[in-house]
């Protein structure tokens, strides 16, 4: 009798694990068809200059609306895309679309707008990536500098080989942002050797501004550090006017977050930028 609760405990975890596995399998299978079924879309989150309020650009963020399961978070499906290799096809689709969108905005008169696109490290080790990226830039006719490729700070785990890939990327003329800065392998050494243009301060630090002294000091330090390296900082996840005010005080150049705007559709972006600029 005493064994009973133990056994049901094990059964419980087995069922839990298999539920998770089957969701993963289901998502991976569905993701294979998500592109052709037009279930993927891109939303754009504005980035603004803290000092002047000027619109700097936007970050392209992928969305997946599964016909039965509804919206699936990129935090869930990007790792699946990476593990299955689908990230190459999906990642290129995002870049090609984003370049077209940027050209449209440039033609509408927002000539200085920049667009940031997230990329997974796997894409950097794919020779086709550079060719297709170059073609996407040529076809859209955008100035390559106005395209920013965001890579997470975790690329530093591959520091030995990744510098070469980053240089290859830079040689196409694009800009590079180090995403989620502060959460991973931050080291002065990497900052010195990586040819990056922007540091994005992770939301987990921005959210402590005004309430947590350690976060406050960390953000201040990163802003100064970036400046001394000739990099721009973008504070991510700015949710309150108070956070934006402190960033202004600290001399942060750029900010992005729900307080400025949530990620929005291209149509909504057009409306937002006109209202915001007015
Ligand atoms: P990320 O690049 O660090 O993007 C920022 C995330 O924070 C986005 O979540 C955005 O919606 C969210 N965010 C922005 N402002 C705020 C705020 O003020 N408060 C809060 N609570 N959240 C905010 P999202 O769109 O769910 O994306 C999650 C992650 O998925 C991204 O993190 C990025 O790493 C990845 N991702 C998204 N699109 C792509 C893509 O096209 N390719 C790749 N490889 N990864 C992508
Ligand atoms: Mg990003
Ligand atoms: Mg980030
Ligand atoms: Mg993030």
């Amino acid at each position: 009798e005493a064994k009973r609760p133990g056994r049901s405990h094990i059964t419980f975890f087995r069922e839990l694990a298999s539920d998770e596995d089957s969701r993963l399998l289901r998502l991976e299978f569905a993701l294979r068809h998500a592109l052709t079924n037009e279930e993927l879309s891109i939303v754009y989150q504005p980035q603004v200059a803290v000092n002047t309020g000027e619109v700097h650009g936007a970050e392209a963020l992928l969305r997946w609306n599964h016909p039965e399961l509804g919206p699936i978070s990129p935090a869930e499906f990007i790792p699946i895309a990476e593990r299955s290799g689908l990230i190459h096809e999906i990642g290129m689709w995002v870049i090609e679309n984003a370049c077209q969108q940027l050209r449209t905005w440039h033609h509408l008169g927002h000539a200085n707008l920049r667009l940031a696109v997230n990329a997974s490290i796997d894409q950097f080790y794919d020779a086709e990536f550079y060719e297709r990226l170059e073609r996407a830039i040529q076809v859209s006719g955008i100035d390559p500098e106005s395209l920013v490729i965001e890579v997470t700070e975790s690329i530093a785990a591959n520091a030995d080989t990744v510098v070469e890939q980053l240089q290859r990327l830079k040689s196409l003329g694009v800009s590079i942002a180090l995403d989620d800065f502060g959460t991973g392998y931050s080291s002065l050494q990497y900052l010195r050797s990586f040819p990056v243009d922007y540091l994005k301060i992770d939301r987990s630090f921005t959210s402590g501004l005004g309430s947590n002294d350690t976060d406050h000091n960390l953000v201040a330090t990163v802003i100064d550090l970036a400046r001394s390296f000739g990099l721009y900082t973008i504070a991510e996840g700015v949710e309150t006017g108070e956070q934006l005010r402190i960033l202004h005080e600290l001399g942060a150049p750029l900010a992005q977050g729900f307080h400025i705007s949530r990620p929005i559709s291209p149509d909504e972006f057009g409306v937002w930028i006109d209202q915001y600029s007015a």
Side-chain angles (χ1 to χ4, degrees):
E1 290 302 315
K3 278 182 184 161
R4 258 198 119 89
R7 211 182 295 132
S8 64
H9 204 67
I10 287 167
T11 313
F12 172 74
F13 278 110
R14 254 193 212 134
E15 275 164 11
L16 200 71
S18 85
D19 273 0
E20 263 168 33
D21 289 349
S22 70
R23 179 174 165 91
L24 280 180
L25 282 174
R26 184 175 181 194
L27 288 182
E28 186 184 325
F29 186 78
L31 197 53
R32 289 184 191 281
H33 306 286
L35 258 184
T36 44
N37 291 351
E38 295 179 17
E39 292 163 16
L40 298 182
S41 61
I42 304 172
V43 287
Y44 296 87
Q45 185 173 40
Q47 302 173 324
V48 301
V50 173
N51 206 3
T52 62
E54 240 172 289
V55 180
H56 171 81
E59 177 177 6
L61 293 158
L62 192 54
R63 293 291 176 262
W64 180 18
N65 195 15
H66 186 285
E68 282 135 34
L69 300 171
I72 316 283
S73 161
E76 182 171 23
F77 74 79
I78 292 291
I80 297 174
E82 289 172 345
R83 257 201 330 272
S84 60
L86 288 167
I87 193 66
H88 298 287
E89 199 185 328
I90 292 172
M92 269 333 296
W93 181 83
V94 175
I95 286 177
E96 283 160 7
N97 266 271
C99 286
Q100 292 297 327
Q101 186 58 63
L102 186 57
R103 186 197 50 174
T104 302
W105 283 331
H106 285 172
H107 282 189
L108 287 173
H110 308 296
N112 294 323
L113 218 59
R114 295 165 185 86
L115 195 58
V117 178
N118 294 282
S120 298
I121 185 162
D122 305 11
Q123 295 175 264
F124 293 153
Y125 290 94
D126 174 26
E128 226 188 295
F129 173 69
Y130 302 90
E131 289 159 24
R132 291 185 68 180
L133 175 58
E134 194 169 19
R135 215 177 314 136
I137 292 166
Q138 278 167 2
V139 166
S140 60
I142 57 164
D143 173 1
E145 249 188 62
S146 62
L147 184 67
V148 183
I149 304 293
E150 293 197 2
V151 292
T152 66
E153 192 196 13
S154 65
I155 57 159
N158 297 62
D160 296 346
T161 56
V162 87
V163 177
E164 222 175 289
Q165 312 303 320
L166 292 176
Q167 278 162 352
R168 194 159 167 205
L169 200 56
K170 277 303 285 184
S171 73
L172 299 180
V174 301
S175 305
I176 302 177
L178 214 48
D179 207 349
D180 302 342
F181 189 75
T183 60
Y185 292 79
S186 14
S187 134
L188 287 176
Q189 178 101 29
Y190 298 138
L191 273 193
R192 210 183 47 165
S193 58
F194 287 174
V196 298
D197 306 282
Y198 299 90
L199 282 191
K200 298 193 75 175
I201 300 176
D202 193 66
R203 173 162 58 93
S204 57
F205 304 109
T206 311
S207 65
L209 287 176
S211 59
N212 182 310
D213 284 348
T214 312
D215 288 348
H216 182 100
N217 293 335
L218 197 134
V219 171
T221 305
V222 172
I223 292 168
D224 291 342
L225 180 81
R227 191 182 294 112
S228 72
F229 277 95
L231 311 176
Y232 294 103
T233 37
I234 305 182
E236 284 191 305
V238 177
E239 291 185 348
T240 68
E242 170 77 348
Q243 289 165 359
L244 193 60
R245 191 187 57 72
I246 295 170
L247 286 167
H248 187 256
E249 245 170 48
L250 295 175
L254 300 163
Q256 157 182 11
F258 292 174
H259 177 70
I260 297 144
S261 169
R262 289 185 176 258
I264 46 185
S265 72
D267 285 350
E268 290 170 323
F269 190 88
V271 174
W272 178 87
I273 200 168
D274 288 340
Q275 281 175 352
Y276 183 87
S277 308

